[in-house]
Amino acid sequence: MKIDAFTHIFPKAYWERMTRVLPDGRDMNKRVRAIPSIVNLDARFRIMDEFGGDYRQILTLGSPPIESFPQQYAVELARTANDGMAELVCRYPERFTGFAASLPMNDIDAACAEAARAIDHLGALGVQVFTNIDGRPLYAPGTLPLFDLLAKYDLPMWMHPARGAEVADYAGEKKSHYEIWWTLGWPYETSVAMAHMVFGGLFDRHPGFKLITHHMGGMIPYFEGRVGPGWDQLGTRTSDEDYGLLLKSMREKGKRPVDYFRNFYADTALFGAHEATKCGLRFFGPEHTVFASDAPFDPEGGRAYIRYTIDILERLDLSPFERHAIYEGNIRRLCRLEQRERTWKGLPSTIAA
């Protein structure tokens, strides 16, 4: 089976509410509104059928982040999104393996409450977060309760990049041009969030934490030299802070910064980039890589990235065990899918109706 672990959707009720709350979408909000299969199930199913009966999807909400909407709507939008995705998984189990819950991250207490509700009562496989919270770090003292909660559940966190044109390319400009904010800004966003988690002590606090980075870990695999020997010299380029104790504590555990980065999981959503996929696989290893396409955000409205990604995985020099792990084994293990599927069977019939 091929379980596409990072695809995007807008349940109908969420879509209708979102477009009423913010009728004039900009940047990514504009982009998502131009893709029929992100809402229209008939269009989505026609695309999925092209890849055979062994192709399944895990659902996550599309951009923009819920916390980017006016705060008074965030909790309502998150609940509407999660109820809608749960209904789709219950109604179409042969299509959708599960979903990652969306959260109102501008209210961390509400985010934790919604995560618990979605996991306990809707059967969510984990949660989706974005690389920043309205311009603030995702991993910070104030957000630790959410990370602690996911560690307690032993379920994964899906991390999606977020950045808009308002983040300028240069300090002297007012905005980003040529969609640089997306093409180059999103991989940078992912890498920054990962670095804050590594140096902020996430994997010392929760050694087995499960975090799936979208788009093969952003820049990290391709900058292994800077992440490796470069960050082995952490502090030598800094005048106003002392990072010596941080680096010393890592070394006392027998680790380098680059070792911590290999604790992340990465998906294969690289838009058909064969060599980049090989590089990412060498860095994270097949045991920390999951199949994902980022459907339906491609030039064909949902089918191209699935086709490109499967073609690459089929051409790579992988053992049958490694290919199975990437396509379904790893995500089943991360989400404890067999146990979660039993949870689905016990959900109230009103959800599955």
Side-chain angles (χ1 to χ4, degrees):
M1 186 176 291
K2 298 177 178 69
I3 300 177
D4 196 337
F6 221 136
T7 72
H8 302 294
I9 200 165
F10 290 131
K12 186 178 179 181
Y14 177 86
W15 168 265
E16 292 173 349
R17 185 61 176 139
M18 177 186 77
T19 53
R20 287 198 302 271
V21 170
L22 199 64
D24 299 317
R26 296 173 57 84
D27 298 339
M28 275 307 296
N29 212 319
K30 171 189 173 184
R31 168 73 170 125
V32 298
R33 298 178 192 213
I35 305 171
S37 64
I38 203 168
V39 179
N40 187 302
L41 290 179
D42 289 337
R44 193 180 192 97
F45 292 163
R46 283 195 297 272
I47 292 169
M48 294 178 69
D49 287 342
E50 296 178 18
F51 299 96
D54 63 348
Y55 174 77
R56 303 283 192 278
Q57 293 182 344
I58 290 176
L59 302 176
T60 67
L61 204 66
S63 293
I66 284 177
E67 56 267 22
S68 69
F69 292 92
Q71 185 163 3
Q72 66 266 33
Y73 299 111
V75 173
E76 173 203 350
L77 285 168
R79 291 180 67 92
T80 302
N82 294 331
D83 289 347
M85 288 189 286
E87 179 183 357
L88 290 172
V89 173
C90 278
R91 185 171 292 180
Y92 304 105
E94 75 285 358
R95 301 280 190 179
F96 304 129
T97 299
F99 77 99
S102 291
L103 304 177
M105 291 294 289
N106 47 8
D107 182 338
I108 199 65
D109 291 335
C112 290
E114 180 58 18
R117 184 188 79 92
I119 292 168
D120 291 338
H121 300 293
L122 302 180
L125 302 179
V127 304
Q128 177 182 227
V129 297
F130 288 80
T131 49
N132 69 78
I133 305 169
D134 291 332
R136 292 173 284 115
L138 169 62
Y139 189 74
T143 63
L144 290 182
L146 179 64
F147 287 84
D148 293 344
L149 181 67
L150 266 291
K152 180 180 177 181
Y153 277 115
D154 190 26
L155 289 173
M157 182 178 280
W158 280 251
M159 186 171 73
H160 193 288
R163 192 182 182 102
E166 74 281 359
V167 182
D169 306 322
Y170 294 95
E173 293 188 316
K174 293 183 178 180
K175 60 165 286 184
S176 177
H177 299 277
Y178 317 116
E179 297 186 353
I180 290 171
W181 59 268
W182 179 87
T183 306
L184 304 178
W186 277 20
Y188 176 77
E189 277 279 341
T190 300
S191 307
V192 168
M194 294 167 70
H196 272 259
M197 292 173 193
V198 165
F199 295 113
L202 171 62
F203 294 112
D204 291 325
R205 186 181 180 94
H206 300 298
F209 197 87
K210 303 170 178 177
L211 194 145
I212 302 170
T213 62
H214 207 10
H215 309 304
M216 196 61 90
M219 299 161 55
I220 299 301
Y222 322 106
F223 287 81
E224 185 177 359
R226 287 179 176 269
V227 175
W231 256 329
D232 286 343
Q233 304 170 73
L234 178 65
T236 61
R237 296 165 287 261
T238 303
S239 302
D240 58 350
E241 292 184 74
D242 183 1
Y243 293 126
L245 289 178
L246 175 58
L247 199 58
K248 181 182 178 183
S249 71
M250 290 183 171
R251 288 172 175 164
E252 287 174 348
K253 299 179 182 73
K255 293 184 177 181
R256 304 162 60 203
V258 69
D259 296 327
Y260 285 92
F261 282 91
R262 299 186 199 277
N263 289 334
F264 292 100
Y265 290 79
D267 74 25
T268 60
L270 287 171
F271 315 142
H274 184 267
E275 293 302 318
T277 304
K278 289 168 60 178
C279 178
L281 273 170
R282 282 195 297 270
F283 184 85
F284 291 107
E287 69 280 4
H288 270 238
T289 304
V290 298
F291 164 59
S293 69
D294 198 30
F297 290 108
D298 60 64
E300 298 176 14
R303 58 177 52 82
Y305 289 164
I306 302 172
R307 185 175 69 251
Y308 297 165
T309 307
I310 291 175
D311 178 65
I312 288 172
L313 289 175
E314 292 301 312
R315 288 190 288 122
L316 287 175
D317 184 20
L318 297 168
S319 70
F321 176 82
E322 291 170 332
R323 188 170 282 108
H324 175 272
I326 294 169
Y327 272 137
E328 64 168 317
N330 292 337
I331 197 65
R332 286 187 177 278
R333 171 174 51 83
L334 285 172
C335 300
R336 298 184 285 119
L337 267 179
E338 282 68 27
Q339 179 178 342
R340 302 308 293 171
E341 285 165 355
R342 289 194 295 271
T343 301
W344 280 113
K345 293 177 181 178
L347 287 176
S349 58
T350 52
I351 295 178

